Every structure is written in structure tokens, then in C-alpha cells.
Amino acid sequence: MTLRVSVLGAGSFGTTIGHLSAGNTPTMLWCRREETADEVNKAHTNDRYLKGYALNPDLRATASIEEAVSGADVVVMGVPSHGF
């Protein structure tokens, strides 16, 4: 059985977790900003938080929290505690 993972938060921690997870299973990264999601999907980078680091091309991103969690088997919280 393949687990589908969603990571909420596209900062340095959430992006790193999403990158590592995408190497093993379908992974969706929720980004607060649409332009961040577009960058992850098109350029496979997140230069705001991980400048110069190439992300796993299988990592997908969205700015829609509904889309991010609707098909997830596992949800990982990757936002800072003050962001809750």
C-alpha cells in the first residue's frame, strides 16, 4: 500500500521533509503563497528558504489547503509553533 503524504508548511523544515518524503511516496507540500507552490512545481526549488537547493522533482505543491489534505493518509505539520 502506498501512503500519500501532505506536509503543511513550505518553510525550510516543511520543504525539507516534503523533499525527503517525495523520494519514497507521493507527497504534497502546502504553501501559503501561490508563487511558492508554482516555484516548487515548475523549478523544483524553494529559493526563499532553501536557496540553491534542488528539490525532488516528484514533490508537488499547492496553495490550497483543501487540495493538500483531501487525499492524504498522513499529514505532517511543518509550520512554526507561533504560526498555529
Side-chain angles (χ1 to χ4, degrees):
M1 178 176 145
T2 300
L3 292 176
R4 293 163 296 176
V5 174
S6 284
V7 179
L8 303 184
S12 57
F13 179 73
T15 302
T16 300
I17 296 301
H19 164 75
L20 293 171
S21 175
N24 297 301
T25 192
T27 302
M28 177 72 72
L29 180 66
W30 174 72
C31 309
R32 194 169 33 146
R33 295 177 182 87
E34 185 73 41
E35 59 270 12
T36 303
D38 290 342
E39 179 185 351
V40 170
N41 290 329
K42 294 175 184 169
H44 310 294
T45 60
N46 184 348
D47 280 342
R48 181 179 179 130
Y49 294 101
L50 296 172
K51 189 159 185 73
Y53 191 81
L55 300 175
N56 188 312
D58 293 330
L59 178 63
R60 295 290 165 245
T62 182
S64 165
I65 199 162
E66 286 183 61
E67 181 183 358
V69 300
S70 65
D73 298 303
V74 176
V75 176
V76 178
M77 299 303 293
V79 296
S81 59
H82 70 271
F84 274 113

